[in-house]
Amino acid sequence: METDGITTPFGRRAMTLGMLASQAIAKTVPPDASVDKWKLYRWLCEARPKLGISDRALSVLNALMSFYPKADLLGSDGLVVFPSNAQLSLRTHGMAETTLRRHLAALVESGLLTRRDSPNGKRYVRRDQQGSIDEAFGFSLAPLLARAEEFEQLAAEVVADRLLLQRLRERVTLVRRDIAKLIETALEDSLPGDWMRYEADFRALVTALPRVPTPENLTPALSSLEALRAEIVKHLEQQIILQKPVGNAGQTERHKQNSKPDSSSDFEPSFKTKQGRDGEAKREELAGDDGSGDEKTNGRYSQWPVDLPTPAKGVHPQPANVSDALKPYPLGLVLQACPEIVAFGPAGAISSWRDLMTAAVVVRSMLAVSASAYENACAILGPENAATVIACILERAGHINSAGGYLRDLTRRAERGEFSLGPMLMALVRANEKPARQAG
């Protein structure tokens, strides 16, 4: 067990006031004091910047603490560990002996350890007849137990400083992004104002940010950036109030004007319209003047005429009420006309409109119909009718070159009041009944 006196170092190592203070602190440890040694070690790792010790020195301290047999440092025990340098080198992953001695000296100077040198400077233990430790010479861990509360407080401070720095850096990043995008928006829209001055001030503040930030230098920088952002926002709000823009507050996309409104989407193949008599014949077939002809007509069905007459030349049809003209047909009729889609329903069955719409989403992806084309169809035709059209397209998928382009064409025709689902469904019903009649 430890003696009550002050021990001095062996050999030419000088005694310092710091060593004397460490030994005096170690003597104040009450016998009932205890602390988990590995929890204490984690506190030391957190508080390392404030303790002024290196990570290699902490590795040596970790090896020394591993020689203490118990999980808790107890004030009633002798807290002296006495491993040789060879054993310490093994537990520090082969650290050289000279490096080991240097870090041991740093731990002693920082007050984390105290030396209990033997008369000859060796580390050993003397036991009594019962095998208990009578006297040990080596390194005492008593200063760690005596300063446990101090280490815990230092670790908490370091963690709090790190969190504060992290939040300050996040706020600086957000303010920088806001300022840059606001100035960019003002310059792109040619709003009046001294935007170049704002940009110069912003660049000056960003350039002044330190490479290694701390809470002390980030706080005033953040205040300056927030003041600049507030000034820019105020100026922009004044411009917006003066201009009184017309539009939806939720509209965030720019208006895109298409000089060719009849052109198809870039994501889907376009229809090639033949010129001359052939093209006129195709248009007459698509308008439904006769039901004869080949089923495969550049992706459109000639057997599915619309139920509205083709307008005469120079006469423009009046758009019908889409919601009235395209009311959902009975689900039983849809499934009778389009039995192929049943396999794509939940659990391989369709018992409701919800199941049909779920299956239509799967089929839409399988037919390479873009999401925008399907969403536009749902908006114009309604969700039920859009799902019905997808089911019809699936039935005749082998006769359609571009399912997405065909759906867009039907949607445009429905928007003009030139399309109805009835003829399409009835044509499929008749086509599905033909094999049964021939077999009978």
Side-chain angles (χ1 to χ4, degrees), residues 5-17:
I6 297 298
T7 60
T8 57
F10 170 79
R12 291 180 296 177
R13 290 193 292 266
M15 183 68 178
T16 63
L17 294 178

Side-chain angles (χ1 to χ4, degrees), residues 43-81:
W43 294 339
L44 291 171
C45 292
E46 292 284 358
R48 185 178 65 83
K50 294 195 173 186
L51 294 175
I53 55 176
S54 65
D55 53 348
R56 300 292 300 278
L58 282 178
S59 299
V60 175
L61 179 61
N62 180 283
L64 282 173
M65 295 173 70
S66 67
F67 284 100
Y68 185 77
K70 299 180 181 179
D72 294 341
L73 298 180
L74 301 177
S76 58
D77 290 349
L79 299 175
V80 177
V81 291

Side-chain angles (χ1 to χ4, degrees), residues 246-394:
V246 178
N248 190 342
Q251 182 177 357
T252 59
E253 296 182 353
R254 296 182 179 179
H255 173 67
K256 297 181 181 179
Q257 181 177 358
N258 189 358
S259 60
K260 298 179 180 180
D262 294 332
S263 63
S264 60
S265 172
D266 294 338
F267 296 99
E268 297 159 350
S270 59
F271 296 120
K272 297 180 180 178
T273 305
K274 295 183 179 180
Q275 300 296 328
R277 297 182 59 188
D278 292 341
E280 187 68 21
K282 294 296 182 182
R283 285 192 292 272
E284 290 176 358
E285 290 178 1
L286 293 176
D289 288 341
D290 64 70
S292 62
D294 188 10
E295 290 183 356
K296 185 175 182 181
T297 308
N298 269 342
R300 297 184 175 93
Y301 291 118
S302 60
Q303 291 187 354
W304 291 349
V306 296
D307 58 351
L308 297 178
T310 304
K313 293 184 179 179
V315 179
H316 299 282
Q318 296 296 326
N321 190 333
V322 177
S323 61
D324 293 338
L326 295 178
K327 291 182 179 180
Y329 285 82
L331 181 61
L333 176 62
V334 174
L335 296 180
Q336 182 183 359
C338 310
E340 295 290 335
I341 200 171
V342 175
F344 296 93
I350 293 178
S351 58
S352 63
W353 280 109
R354 183 180 183 87
D355 294 343
L356 179 63
M357 289 186 283
T358 302
V361 174
V362 178
V363 174
R364 188 273 302 170
S365 178
M366 184 184 70
L367 295 177
V369 176
S370 64
S372 60
Y374 186 64
E375 291 173 0
N376 190 32
C378 290
I380 301 299
L381 301 171
E384 296 86 356
N385 290 327
T388 303
V389 172
I390 291 293
C392 295
I393 293 175
L394 176 64

Side-chain angles (χ1 to χ4, degrees), residues 49 116 136 223 298 415:
R116 286 190 53 82
S223 300
N298 269 342
E415 191 174 13

Side-chain angles (χ1 to χ4, degrees), residues 142-200:
L144 296 178
L145 180 58
R147 302 174 60 186
E149 294 183 1
E150 175 190 351
F151 297 146
E152 183 180 8
Q153 183 177 358
L154 289 176
E157 292 176 0
V158 171
V159 171
D161 291 343
R162 184 170 64 245
L163 291 177
L164 175 61
L165 178 61
Q166 179 182 355
R167 291 171 183 171
L168 287 174
R169 295 181 68 172
E170 290 175 352
R171 290 177 61 187
V172 168
T173 300
L174 291 175
V175 175
R176 288 177 60 179
R177 185 182 68 190
D178 293 345
I179 294 175
K181 289 186 178 293
L182 290 174
I183 294 177
E184 181 182 0
T185 301
L187 292 176
E188 287 183 355
D189 295 340
S190 301
L191 295 179
D194 195 1
W195 301 109
M196 301 308 296
R197 180 182 66 82
Y198 288 139
E199 185 174 6

